[in-house]
Amino acid sequence: MNPKNNKPLVVAAFLCAVAALLHVGCIVFGGDWYRFFGAGEAMASMAEQGLWYPSIVTSTIVVILFIWSLYGLSGAGVIKRLTLTKLALVIISSIFLLRGVSFVGLMPLFPYKESENSLTFWLVSSGICLFIGSLFAIGTYQQWSRWVSDNSDGQ
């Protein structure tokens, strides 16, 4: 790995890729995986019935997480610079951090039912989002001055 690579962005990219693969596992392995990862009984039941909705929603999340992983690697200099890397990393950081801190406001939108969206789910998922968002934010901050001095992409 190039010593100029940004470790927080590399780790954030790796964690996004892992999260994407775990979501693929939900699609492949079905209801039990949806339940285990806190998607709720409704999603698990729909998956077990072979309905398309859980797979479409989960596939969308997979694509987004893989794209975010690529942007992390791009920002870190591991892969070729992608279009609008700086803007994308600021948005990605913001989304993860906002999700991490806004769970108290989000919880009422997803009322607790047996086996669904427990407090443990909200605390764990919010903590993970805060951690990944912090890595993206720290990595973006560390890289920013290098981008400004390079001014290689005109962003």
Side-chain angles (χ1 to χ4, degrees):
M1 187 178 280
N2 184 338
K4 290 183 180 181
N5 289 343
N6 183 305
K7 287 181 180 30
L9 286 177
V10 171
V11 173
F14 173 76
L15 292 174
C16 277
V18 168
L21 290 173
L22 291 172
H23 281 81
V24 169
C26 288
I27 296 168
V28 172
F29 299 112
D32 288 339
W33 276 54
Y34 280 102
R35 282 184 196 92
F36 179 78
F37 287 108
E41 188 57 37
M43 287 287 276
S45 294
M46 284 188 280
E48 289 172 342
Q49 294 169 29
L51 299 176
W52 59 269
Y53 181 77
S55 294
I56 296 298
V57 169
T58 308
S59 295
T60 302
I61 294 168
V62 167
V63 170
I64 290 168
L65 287 169
F66 272 130
I67 290 170
W68 289 0
S69 181
L70 290 173
Y71 270 100
L73 293 174
S74 174
V78 174
I79 64 172
K80 184 179 182 274
R81 190 75 170 270
L82 299 175
T83 304
L84 301 173
T85 297
K86 291 187 284 188
L87 177 61
L89 289 175
V90 169
I91 291 170
I92 292 165
S93 301
S94 298
I95 290 170
F96 269 119
L97 292 172
L98 184 62
R99 166 55 182 86
V101 299
S102 67
F103 75 95
V104 173
L106 290 172
M107 285 175 63
L109 301 174
F110 301 90
Y112 176 75
K113 296 177 187 165
E114 191 174 329
S115 311
E116 285 192 63
N117 297 334
S118 66
L119 182 59
T120 302
F121 164 80
W122 284 105
L123 292 174
V124 170
S125 63
S126 295
I128 290 168
C129 288
L130 277 173
F131 181 67
I132 296 173
S134 295
L135 289 171
F136 270 111
I138 291 166
T140 301
Y141 177 78
Q142 289 176 350
Q143 203 72 4
W144 202 267
S145 61
R146 184 174 299 148
W147 290 329
V148 170
S149 66
D150 287 349
N151 199 20
S152 60
D153 65 344
Q155 294 178 36

